[in-house]
Amino acid sequence: MNNVPLYLPLGFVATILLTCYFLVKAAYGNKIVAGLLIVWMIGQSAVAMSGFYTNTQTMPPRFLAMLLPPISVIILLFATTRGRNFIDLLRPDQLTLLHLVRIPVELCLFSLYTHQLIPQLMTFEGINFDIISGVSAPVVAYFGYYKKLLNKTVLLIWNLICLGLLINIAYHGILSVPTSFQRFGFEQPNIALTYFPYVFLPGLIVPVVLFAHLSSIRQLLKS
């Protein structure tokens, strides 16, 4: 990864921090949320910088160690009364604005592709149209929650479409990693996501974006 210009990892770190900022802001500055994010980032940074994730031939795949914990937390929050109460109190406007991070993520992915670290299919030149979610997020937040000109149905449709875009790239991204489960990107495997700081795309950014969509959908269905 030494051939990558410094602005790329720095820009990605800034995107990670921006994701955490929007999530904590949506939770009204909840110190427990902030603390858990800090502990997770420190722990995963140490693991990633040790080279743990670069060995992709183990069984089970090591990248599950960065995927399963945040996904388990999401399931726990939706499965428990206390967790659902927490979700229902989140700020929907900030949950929507959080999707702005998908713009710098897409730019970083394209740069990683030009440096032959991820396959083309993970970029907007391939089958990744996730940048649409990021560009439309401030518009939806402004007219949906500040001006209240968009009804619940429109907000639900937007969340469902953008959720589909997220699942599309997450699916292809995970199955492009050079493991025994690889199905895509054989001409250029997805090796970037096994290095720091890019491990935080599947290990933090994608789960948080997923959580934001699911929480918004729950709030809209309850309203």
Side-chain angles (χ1 to χ4, degrees), residues 70-90:
I71 296 300
S72 298
V73 170
I74 293 174
I75 293 172
L76 184 65
L77 287 172
F78 278 90
T80 61
T81 301
R82 197 169 183 177
R84 290 191 295 270
N85 289 338
F86 168 76
I87 290 169
D88 293 341
L89 293 175
L90 293 173

Side-chain angles (χ1 to χ4, degrees), residues 18 22 92-104 130-150 155 158 162 213:
L18 185 62
F22 277 121
D93 59 325
Q94 295 303 313
L95 290 175
T96 304
L97 285 173
L98 184 149
H99 299 290
L100 275 167
V101 303
R102 292 156 89 161
I103 298 175
D130 205 47
I131 196 167
I132 296 172
S133 307
V135 172
S136 59
V139 178
V140 173
Y142 180 75
F143 289 105
Y145 293 104
Y146 296 119
K147 291 296 185 179
K148 300 188 184 302
L149 296 177
L150 302 179
L155 295 173
W158 180 82
C162 294
H213 275 313

Side-chain angles (χ1 to χ4, degrees), residues 137-192:
V139 178
V140 173
Y142 180 75
F143 289 105
Y145 293 104
Y146 296 119
K147 291 296 185 179
K148 300 188 184 302
L149 296 177
L150 302 179
N151 61 33
K152 182 177 72 173
T153 301
V154 173
L155 295 173
L156 270 172
I157 290 173
W158 180 82
N159 273 283
L160 290 171
I161 290 174
C162 294
L163 178 60
L165 293 176
L166 176 69
I167 293 172
N168 169 62
I169 186 54
Y171 172 77
H172 287 90
I174 291 172
L175 293 184
S176 296
V177 176
T179 67
S180 57
F181 298 106
Q182 184 178 3
R183 294 294 181 270
F184 309 105
F186 291 100
E187 75 290 348
Q188 172 51 65
N190 180 5
I191 61 173

